[in-house]
Amino acid sequence: MIQGDSFRLIVRRGPQPNQSYDLNKDIVTLGRDITNDIVINDPEVSRHHMRLTRGASGFSVEDLGSTNGTFVNGQRLSGARPMRPGDMIGLGETVTLTYEVMSAARPAEDAPGALTSPAARPAAPAPQPFVQPQPQPLQPQAQPQYGGYQSPAPQPQSGYSPYSPQANANPVGVNPVGEIGADYDPYAAREEGGSNTTRLILIGCAGLSLFCCCSSVLGLVLVDQLCLWNKIPIVYDVLRALGYVMVACN
């Protein structure tokens, strides 16, 4: 360690976390009693718990017969032990301290990143002139020959153009969708539709007449079988007017 380094204890766990105590004396005592150099008021800390003594390489720690013991990096002390930067000091089970060393400032010439005089700096190399490269002319590439045969270039067909009216004309005999052909007769279509309607009307009338006749005959048969002539006034009057004589039913 460099002469002039300073030491301190930092509370990591305990009544006052992150509290820092500078070790400015050659002998520093720590405990719960107010007569100690460092006072930590915690039930796990004894009245006079431990002592730190400065040496050539730093401080050493020693337990003063505390009830709950003094631990360094988890090991309980049984005598004096030299401290190293970063050691963890435990007081009982609830207080933990860290031993740290703050190094003194180095001389300016030895400090990293210190400025040096221009004479001590190495001379920078002279810049080289920039030479722009000249472009190389492109050489025509020869086409490969396969067995001495070279395929001829395609020739356009004479007399044909994809944009000519003949190319876009419709095929012969095919009418475009939605267009009316020359042989289309609207009156013939209308007459054909009218004849179909008349035929349907005639068939319907014939069927209705046949149904009415069958219903009438069936009704008369039922009236005769059930002897309903006298029970239906209208039928009775009509038959009498026609000259029919009603026979009483048993």
Side-chain angles (χ1 to χ4, degrees):
M1 296 184 183
I2 302 175
Q3 186 177 3
D5 289 348
S6 58
F7 306 89
R8 65 178 179 177
L9 294 177
I10 299 177
V11 180
R12 297 303 181 188
R13 187 179 61 171
Q16 297 177 340
N18 299 325
Q19 177 68 34
S20 177
Y21 299 99
D22 294 331
L23 306 179
N24 299 324
K25 297 181 179 181
D26 293 338
I27 298 176
V28 179
T29 59
L30 186 148
R32 195 173 69 250
D33 194 85
I34 59 175
T35 59
N36 292 283
D37 298 312
I38 299 176
V39 179
I40 297 180
N41 189 10
D42 189 89
E44 292 285 327
V45 179
S46 300
R47 293 171 57 87
H48 299 280
H49 199 101
M50 73 173 189
R51 179 173 56 221
L52 295 168
T53 305
R54 183 190 293 269
S57 59
F59 280 85
S60 60
V61 61
E62 181 182 2
D63 186 75
L64 298 179
S66 62
T67 303
N68 297 314
T70 302
F71 302 84
V72 176
N73 298 330
Q75 296 181 358
R76 186 163 185 168
L77 294 179
S78 58
R81 173 173 174 171
M83 298 294 296
R84 293 177 298 178
D87 283 348
M88 305 295 293
I89 303 175
L91 307 179
E93 296 181 357
T94 58
V95 179
T96 304
L97 309 174
T98 303
Y99 175 76
E100 292 186 356
V101 179
M102 295 180 294
S103 300
R106 298 180 181 179
E109 61 272 14
D110 296 336
L115 298 177
T116 57
S117 61
R121 297 179 183 176
Q128 299 294 332
F130 175 75
V131 179
Q132 184 176 4
Q134 298 295 331
Q136 299 294 332
L138 298 177
Q139 299 295 334
Q141 298 180 359
Q143 297 182 356
Q145 302 292 334
Y146 300 97
Y149 173 77
Q150 184 176 5
S151 60
Q155 299 294 332
Q157 299 180 3
S158 60
Y160 174 80
S161 174
Y163 302 100
S164 61
Q166 292 79 4
N168 298 327
N170 294 325
V172 178
V174 178
N175 291 328
V177 178
E179 295 185 2
I180 300 175
D183 55 349
Y184 176 75
D185 188 1
Y187 297 100
R190 187 179 305 173
E191 292 177 358
E192 183 179 357
S195 61
N196 293 334
T197 304
T198 304
R199 188 180 299 109
L200 292 176
I201 293 175
L202 293 177
I203 293 174
C205 292
L208 182 60
S209 301
L210 181 61
F211 175 76
C212 292
C213 293
C214 294
S215 300
S216 300
V217 172
L218 181 61
L220 293 175
V221 171
L222 290 175
V223 169
D224 183 60
Q225 293 295 329
L226 299 176
C227 295
L228 299 177
W229 305 105
N230 298 328
K231 297 180 180 180
I232 302 176
I234 298 177
V235 176
Y236 181 77
D237 295 339
V238 171
L239 292 177
R240 288 191 61 182
L242 294 176
Y244 290 96
V245 178
M246 299 292 103
V247 180
C249 297
N250 295 328

